[in-house]
Amino acid sequence: MAKELNNDGKEKIQINRRMRMWNKYRNYIIGAAVVLVIAILCAILVNSCGKDKTKSDGKNQNKPTVTEEMTTSADITTAQESTTSVPTTAAVQPTTQAPAGGSVKVSGEASETDFTSGSAYEGAVFLGDAVIGGISGYGYLGSDKVVSNNNMTTDKGLDYVSEVKGKNPSKIYIMLGLNDLNYGTRSGSDIAGRIETLVKSIKNEIPGAKVCVLSVLPISSSFESKSSVKITQSGIDELNNSLSEKASSMGVTYVDIASCFKDGSGYLGSSYTTGGYDIKNGYYPFMLNSIAEVTK
């Protein structure tokens, strides 16, 4: 078989071989190219998805911050609600509580001693009858701190409220009731009620002052036995007990000083008195020092 020659004299078989090779492998080559293109497209797609996921992840990273802010806001709201609830709780507390007050008792037996409590009575005023009058009468406190009348009763005491107010006291001591008992028609509990009325008047006129009600001192048995006297020791005891019971409701401090002056029979000891209803000069320091101590 004769070989065909090209114009340059070379055999054409070489071209035919190339064609045959192409025809033989072109499907593989095209398939490989398609696979390569698909691989490139897949790579591009995967990369694109990855970016989208990253963006999505970036957005999701902001969510905890928002949630945290919301939680913080909720905490603040809760705190505000808790703060608001405090006045509400306080508002349901009773508004009709009894005023501060109560009873105190001086311990020990009365004795003669030095007067050491003068400074404790700065701004104080005593209101009462003859026993109270002895405080200034014997010179333990000035007349500017004592409002008294030997015949003062609870009724008459109301007439002296304006005088007490004029002294601008920060603390007021009251000892009244002995003259009321001498009427013979007033019980101890009745007189205690009258003292309560006096206290209300004082509190209305001098609301800033602390009020202390002193027990009525005992009387001697010889004084009680006098035909001209209607006062009884049992009446004094009833009065003092009633005052002690009413102290809290009156908003006063009740001071039991009477017990210190009683003898074994429950009457005023004879060594303490000259008239049977009063106390000697030398025992006023004990009374004043003791009252000052328990009413600080």
Side-chain angles (χ1 to χ4, degrees):
M1 177 175 165
K3 295 182 180 179
E4 296 183 3
L5 298 174
N6 295 325
N7 294 332
D8 56 3
K10 293 181 180 180
E11 294 180 352
K12 290 184 177 182
I13 190 170
Q14 293 177 356
I15 296 174
N16 291 336
R17 286 179 179 173
R18 292 191 186 97
M19 291 299 295
R20 284 198 298 272
M21 289 290 291
W22 165 252
N23 290 332
K24 183 177 180 180
Y25 295 106
R26 67 180 178 180
N27 292 334
Y28 297 104
I29 294 171
I30 292 172
V34 170
V35 170
L36 179 62
V37 170
I38 291 173
I40 293 172
L41 291 175
C42 288
I44 293 172
L45 182 61
V46 169
N47 185 49
S48 176
C49 291
K51 289 181 179 180
D52 291 341
K53 183 177 181 181
T54 301
K55 291 180 180 179
S56 177
D57 290 341
K59 292 179 180 179
N60 289 336
Q61 289 174 356
N62 293 328
K63 288 184 179 180
T65 304
V66 175
T67 303
E68 186 175 345
E69 290 174 355
M70 290 176 66
T71 304
T72 304
S73 298
D75 291 342
I76 292 173
T77 302
T78 303
Q80 290 173 340
E81 289 175 352
S82 298
T83 304
T84 304
S85 66
V86 173
T88 302
T89 304
V92 299
Q93 297 298 320
T95 57
T96 56
Q97 294 179 349
S103 299
V104 293
K105 183 177 181 179
V106 175
S107 60
E109 184 178 337
S111 61
E112 292 186 325
T113 186
D114 294 329
F115 179 49
T116 58
S117 58
S119 60
Y121 292 110
E122 291 296 327
V125 171
F126 284 80
L127 173 65
D129 51 32
V131 174
I132 293 301
I135 295 174
S136 58
Y138 289 121
Y140 293 106
L141 295 176
S143 59
D144 60 318
K145 297 185 181 301
V146 177
V147 176
S148 67
N149 185 298
N150 289 350
N151 298 315
M152 189 182 296
T153 62
T154 53
D155 302 322
K156 293 177 181 178
L158 292 169
D159 298 330
Y160 289 89
V161 173
S162 59
E163 184 176 346
V164 173
K165 181 180 180 181
K167 297 179 182 297
N168 193 31
S170 57
K171 187 177 290 186
I172 301 166
Y173 295 91
I174 302 170
M175 182 188 287
L176 280 173
L178 193 65
N179 290 322
D180 290 74
L181 287 168
N182 204 35
Y183 283 125
T185 57
R186 295 181 176 180
S187 66
S189 58
D190 176 36
I191 297 169
R194 292 170 184 271
I195 291 177
E196 183 175 14
T197 300
L198 175 61
V199 168
K200 288 180 180 178
S201 178
I202 290 173
K203 284 180 170 289
N204 286 335
E205 293 295 322
I206 321 166
K210 178 180 179 180
V211 180
C212 299
V213 175
L214 307 177
S215 60
V216 173
L217 296 184
I219 57 173
S220 66
S221 59
S222 59
F223 180 76
E224 182 185 65
S225 64
K226 291 181 178 181
S227 59
S228 60
V229 175
K230 298 179 181 179
I231 305 169
T232 62
Q233 183 58 48
S234 60
I236 293 174
D237 291 338
E238 181 187 353
L239 169 58
N240 288 338
N241 289 335
S242 296
L243 290 174
S244 179
E245 292 172 358
K246 285 178 172 288
S248 293
S249 62
M250 287 193 293
V252 303
T253 298
Y254 168 76
V255 181
D256 177 9
I257 186 69
S259 300
C260 299
F261 288 90
K262 286 184 176 182
D263 61 16
S265 62
Y267 286 88
L268 178 63
S270 59
S271 62
Y272 301 132
T273 183
T274 56
Y277 62 91
D278 57 353
I279 58 173
K280 294 178 180 178
N281 179 2
Y283 294 99
Y284 271 90
F286 172 85
M287 183 179 74
L288 292 171
N289 292 345
S290 298
I291 291 171
E293 180 65 25
V294 297
T295 60
K296 287 181 179 178

